Amino acid sequence: MAVRGGRIAATADVREWTGPDTEYLDLGGGFAMAGLVDVHTHTDGGYKELFECVLPPEASFDDILAAVRSAASGRGEHEWIVGGSWPNTLADRLGSRAALEALDDAAGGRPVLLSDDSYHNRWVSSAALRAAGIVDGGDGVVCDPQDGRPVGLLTEPAGIAVDRAAAAAQGDIHEREVRGTAHAVSTLNSFGITAFGEAAASLATLRALDRLDHEGTLSAWAVSAMMARDPIRGSEPVGEALFEQGQQLRGRCHLPTFVKIFLDGVPPSRTAYFLEPYVPSGDQDDQWRGRPAMDSAELTEWLRVAARRNLSVKIHCSGDASVRQALDAVARLRADGDRDTIVHIAHAHFVDPADLGRFAELDVVADMSPPLWFPGPLVDQTSAPLGQARLQRLSPCRDLIDAGALLAGGSDWPVSEPNPWPAIAGLVTREDPTGRRTGALGPHQRLTVAEALAMYSHNGARALRIDDRTGSLRPGRSADFIVLDRNPFDVDPHDLAETQVLATYFAGKRIEKNSNT
């Protein structure tokens, strides 16, 4: 392969591109391929690693208290402790007066805000409740059954007031956000990722990426999805006001060209929207199926707004009812005559068999997040509210590909780790790539190595509408490539998870660790 001016000049026969000043790179037997594409990540994962209280994987109740106690040492008495993530399986334990008192004691009375592993729910201290003005019950506020007072467990929008109180207390953190974003990009680069989709960009996120782009230190293509509404964190501005500002923050490598829509929540919180009811729990209606975040008319109008602005759309859908609602809205958009607007259904954990063929029919991308359905804690949290029988339909990758759909892979970091290689292994084996759990989940949905790699390379580039720039080693494309310690086609699929990236090149330059981190 010949590289000139940051682009691929030729492949195979490159003799005509050689000369006295040619620099030769011998890979020493390493395997080279196009840089990887993560179509669904969140760069605040970098900020969390640098500046927040990070809980250990699968943290126990005592682990959480120990981490909070450690974070509290040396802090001012009113200084916030923000971090995560705690396993949603602990929700019942955390939703009690005794747990709140233990958290208050560990924090020394300081305000605490801890997100769960879906990043949709929070556990907060008494000081945080007071700062947010939460003194009684309400939608998503868990209260003590004896005295009716909040106990610190908040689901989805109920946590917005605490998020805003914490943000107000921290003041202007732009410089830290830039450092955190640089750290996120460097982390993605280390795993061979040279293009990514920022899946829920606030104005602060857009500004941080724009800053790196203008400084020439953004070592990946960054395609941002700007939020139509923010029912989880309550950031502002959103909608058309944010889209307007996003247009001013478009640069060489940073491309804010998507709109993000949350259509439902997540199964562990029973906020994902399903065609069939959840497994009954407590005093909850035994016909509860969840509900969408917006009705079909509003969703369709958001698609039309995006189309008028020449923006693409990413729709968060966990349940099969929300997937169907999204597909129905896209069908109305297509009936308007629009065939150009790219639409992603993000996660698509559950798809009714009747809707599998509609992805290809409507040109809808299945934005899949393999780490969210490996046998492990996250799946355990999903099985309880849905039951084992429905769990066998989780993430129907094989069925979608066979039905002609375009599948692209994403990590959903920091909900899961940003390393794509365990995800690629899981797509091929349908087993836990860490080896901690035995058995396969939906083995009939296994993919080939080629199909799994495609999801994280040229499929991802197509999905983000940057395949004219990257995603394949073809003349004219940016020289974005990686060198691996093994040929992924020649190893046992279980060993794919251990793949090491020896070098990452973006626009023909080897990426070193970002000094801003």
Side-chain angles (χ1 to χ4, degrees):
M1 182 169 67
V3 174
R4 184 175 187 180
R7 295 186 174 275
I8 298 171
T11 57
D13 187 357
V14 298
R15 287 171 296 182
E16 67 177 282
W17 295 93
T18 63
D21 297 324
T22 298
E23 178 183 349
Y24 293 89
L25 176 63
D26 185 342
L27 302 184
F31 182 90
M33 64 173 290
L36 301 184
V37 182
D38 182 333
V39 301
H40 193 122
T41 192
H42 302 276
T43 52
D44 63 355
Y47 182 93
K48 293 178 185 301
E49 287 189 358
L50 289 183
F51 302 113
E52 294 190 356
C53 174
V54 179
L55 302 180
E58 301 181 40
S60 68
F61 181 72
D62 290 338
D63 291 335
I64 297 171
L65 296 181
V68 169
R69 191 171 287 109
S70 176
S73 63
R75 292 182 185 238
E77 62 176 311
H78 302 298
E79 190 174 347
W80 281 76
I81 299 170
V82 178
S85 60
W86 48 268
N88 199 273
T89 48
L90 289 177
D92 289 343
R93 175 80 183 272
L94 303 185
S96 70
R97 177 68 55 199
L100 178 61
E101 291 172 353
L103 178 62
D104 290 344
D105 179 69
R110 295 171 180 80
V112 180
L113 168 59
L114 302 175
S115 298
D116 75 338
D117 48 14
S118 74
Y119 283 85
H120 281 236
N121 309 302
R122 289 76 141 186
W123 186 38
V124 307
S125 68
S126 296
L129 289 171
R130 289 194 298 271
I134 300 175
V135 296
D136 51 26
D139 189 17
V141 179
V142 177
C143 294
D144 187 298
Q146 302 301 319
D147 60 25
R149 291 185 297 152
V151 293
L153 187 61
L154 307 172
T155 63
E156 299 202 333
I160 289 176
V162 183
D163 282 341
R164 289 176 173 169
Q170 294 178 76
D172 185 359
I173 59 170
H174 176 65
E175 292 302 323
R176 284 200 292 171
E177 287 171 332
V178 172
R179 285 183 59 200
T181 303
H183 178 63
V185 176
S186 179
T187 299
L188 294 172
N189 289 159
S190 73
F191 295 121
I193 295 166
T194 56
F196 63 88
E198 163 53 65
S202 65
L203 182 58
T205 306
L206 297 178
R207 285 174 171 167
L209 287 166
D210 176 70
R211 166 92 167 264
L212 296 178
D213 197 14
H214 275 79
E215 291 176 350
T217 58
L218 182 56
S219 51
W221 303 101
V223 180
S224 292
M226 302 170 286
M227 286 183 281
R229 291 182 2 194
D230 186 3
I232 306 301
R233 298 294 174 186
S235 64
E236 294 178 344
V238 293
E240 296 211 56
L242 182 60
F243 307 160
E244 282 289 340
Q245 295 199 52
Q247 296 305 301
Q248 308 305 313
L249 298 172
R250 185 179 300 197
R252 189 184 77 84
C253 296
H254 177 220
L255 308 168
T257 54
F258 271 73
V259 171
K260 174 64 176 288
I261 297 170
F262 285 97
L263 193 53
D264 68 353
V266 292
S269 303
R270 297 176 180 258
T271 52
Y273 181 36
F274 282 94
L275 297 171
E276 299 296 327
Y278 283 91
V279 174
S281 174
D283 58 358
Q284 191 176 57
D285 178 4
D286 62 7
Q287 293 303 303
W288 175 250
R289 301 183 298 114
R291 59 173 176 260
M294 61 181 69
D295 62 28
S296 296
E298 183 180 0
L299 175 60
T300 303
E301 182 54 29
W302 278 118
L303 295 182
R304 288 170 173 156
V305 167
R308 288 195 293 270
R309 289 180 169 273
N310 195 32
L311 296 171
S312 303
V313 182
K314 186 183 290 287
I315 311 173
H316 169 110
C317 300
S318 287
D320 51 12
S322 63
V323 169
R324 178 168 293 177
Q325 182 181 350
L327 291 169
D328 289 346
V330 177
R332 287 187 282 274
L333 180 70
R334 302 304 187 216
D336 293 343
D338 180 291
R339 299 301 302 186
D340 296 326
T341 301
I342 292 178
V343 179
H344 294 187
I345 291 185
H347 307 313
H349 289 160
F350 295 90
V351 182
D352 189 81
D355 292 322
L356 290 167
R358 301 180 70 198
F359 281 77
E361 174 190 332
L362 297 169
D363 294 325
V364 171
V365 176
D367 159 4
M368 312 298 283
S369 299
L372 304 187
W373 50 260
F374 294 153
L378 290 175
V379 171
D380 292 345
Q381 296 166 25
T382 299
S383 66
L386 298 181
Q388 284 294 324
R390 196 164 5 179
L391 205 63
Q392 299 308 308
R393 292 172 40 209
L394 184 60
S395 196
C397 296
R398 173 85 272 150
D399 290 345
L400 284 165
I401 285 181
D402 289 348
L406 178 68
L407 270 63
S411 63
D412 204 17
W413 183 40
V415 176
S416 64
E417 66 171 315
N419 184 356
W421 294 102
I424 290 167
L427 286 167
V428 178
T429 67
R430 295 289 296 202
E431 299 171 15
D432 177 7
T434 69
R436 290 191 292 265
R437 299 290 183 98
T438 58
L441 181 59
H444 57 291
Q445 298 293 344
R446 288 172 173 144
L447 303 186
T448 66
V449 173
E451 288 168 333
L453 288 175
M455 284 179 60
Y456 281 89
S457 54
H458 55 82
N459 283 15
R462 283 181 59 195
L464 295 178
R465 192 169 267 178
I466 54 173
D467 52 316
D468 60 337
R469 304 177 185 221
T470 192
S472 59
L473 301 182
R474 300 172 58 185
R477 301 295 189 272
S478 179
D480 307 333
F481 63 97
I482 58 178
V483 183
L484 309 179
D485 68 341
R486 68 198 70 191
N487 181 339
F489 296 98
D490 287 346
V491 300
D492 185 306
H494 296 87
D495 293 334
L496 287 170
E498 304 303 320
T499 299
Q500 298 295 309
V501 178
L502 304 178
T504 300
Y505 290 80
F506 179 67
K509 296 182 179 179
R510 182 165 178 160
I511 300 170
E512 305 298 337
K513 186 172 179 60
N514 196 316
S515 60
N516 287 334
T517 64

